[in-house]
Amino acid sequence: MEDKLREMLKLYFIMGSNNCRKDPETVLKEAIKGGITLFQFREKGQGSLGGCEKKQLAVNLQRICKEAGIPFIVNDDIELALEVDADGVHIGQSDMSAGEARCLVGSKILGVSVHTLKEAEQAREMGADYFGVGPVFHTTTKEDALPASGVSFIRELRKNGYSIPIVGIGGITAENAGDVMSSGVDGVSVISFISNAESPKKAAMGLKENIMHKQNG
Ligand SMILES: Cc1ncsc1CCOP(=O)(O)O
Ligand SMILES: C=C1C=NC(C(F)(F)F)=NC1=N
Ligand SMILES: [Mg+2]
């Protein structure tokens, strides 16, 4: 399972309706053609959908992923994830504890955002399947993002013996993705470089090229 997950995390596209120029379905289809390996539905922040509209969009995007054999992850909203039988959830520190999440999602994929060794230890003890670490570079996509820390915390986690799958996130583009991969992550996670692109397909292809021959180890 773990190696399968490492492969999945290579090019991890995250998107919500408010990250897109075109309609989300089209953006996702193009990103899939461009070679993304995992998708996270993150409907959050200014202008994002709620309630029934959010659920309908989740179902639509999940169907597109299913048809392409791409696993579908839901951010924050565990209830929605269970309702649509998603492949997994991603939670941050301000959401519920990883222990509580693991109890609710059972054997589904559980991703946790971690920013300190303490958070990493807690998340690992409670059964996280992968860590999201960032922001690596400056980002304006997440309104309450912490300051960018480069790849230092990624290296620190590996130095402290964390071999768990890790994905870097925050301000990642085709031009800097290779450097992130060399830092010891298993993959990169991207929102705006793909979701805002003129051609999400080309953006994903550009990222894919740079991460495939730059992975560490
Ligand atoms: C969700 C999230 N978590 C840390 S940075 C970030 C936003 C990443 O968006 P982008 O790839 O557009 O910088
Ligand atoms: C805040 C987040 C941090 N990391 C990730 C992921 F890339 F999936 F690990 N997703 C998020 N929503
Ligand atoms: Mg969250």
Side-chain angles (χ1 to χ4, degrees):
M1 163 66 181
E2 204 174 86
D3 281 350
K4 190 162 157 279
L5 183 57
R6 288 186 202 284
E7 280 314 301
M8 272 188 223
L9 289 171
K10 282 275 170 288
L11 183 50
Y12 189 175
F13 178 40
I14 300 181
M15 176 188 73
S17 60
N18 57 339
N19 305 124
C20 300
R21 257 191 223 193
K22 305 180 241 187
D23 69 282
E25 289 87 347
T26 305
V27 173
L28 179 55
K29 282 177 189 162
E30 284 200 31
I32 289 173
K33 281 191 203 120
I36 64 167
T37 51
L38 184 59
F39 176 69
Q40 179 188 126
F41 177 56
R42 178 178 179 272
E43 192 63 18
K44 189 170 188 180
Q46 203 128 21
S48 56
L49 305 174
C52 190
E53 276 189 296
K54 174 180 173 183
K55 184 181 171 192
Q56 194 47 58
L57 178 57
V59 168
N60 292 351
L61 298 180
Q62 182 181 33
R63 186 182 328 104
I64 293 166
C65 286
K66 231 177 196 57
E67 280 159 12
I70 300 283
F72 181 79
I73 306 290
V74 174
N75 182 53
D76 284 357
D77 192 340
I78 292 195
E79 213 175 304
L80 176 62
L82 296 174
E83 226 176 303
V84 303
D85 192 21
D87 297 293
V89 294
H90 186 91
I91 59 169
Q93 294 300 321
S94 57
D95 303 304
M96 64 182 64
S97 79
E100 170 75 5
R102 175 51 80 199
C103 175
L104 287 168
V105 302
S107 62
K108 291 177 183 299
I109 297 167
L110 173 61
V112 182
S113 303
V114 298
H115 307 92
T116 66
L117 287 175
K118 188 162 169 292
E119 288 175 1
E121 196 41 40
Q122 280 170 346
R124 182 176 63 173
E125 265 161 30
M126 292 186 198
D129 293 305
Y130 73 82
F131 291 163
V133 176
V136 176
F137 305 112
H138 175 69
T139 180
T140 54
T141 306
K142 178 179 168 72
E143 290 149 3
D144 57 344
L146 294 169
S149 58
V151 295
S152 56
F153 184 53
I154 294 164
R155 291 193 195 289
E156 193 182 355
L157 283 167
R158 293 306 191 201
K159 208 171 81 233
N160 280 269
Y162 286 93
S163 57
I164 186 173
I166 296 177
V167 62
I169 185 171
I172 296 180
T173 66
E175 156 230 347
N176 62 31
D179 299 339
V180 183
M181 286 304 286
S182 311
S183 73
V185 296
D186 295 279
V188 296
S189 186
V190 171
I191 302 184
S192 52
F193 184 74
I194 295 175
S195 69
N196 269 337
E198 189 45 45
S199 162
K201 178 179 174 238
K202 288 202 185 99
M205 285 168 70
L207 277 159
K208 194 72 179 286
E209 237 166 75
N210 288 342
I211 60 179
M212 289 326 274
H213 65 258
K214 265 276 201 133
Q215 56 208 50
N216 178 294

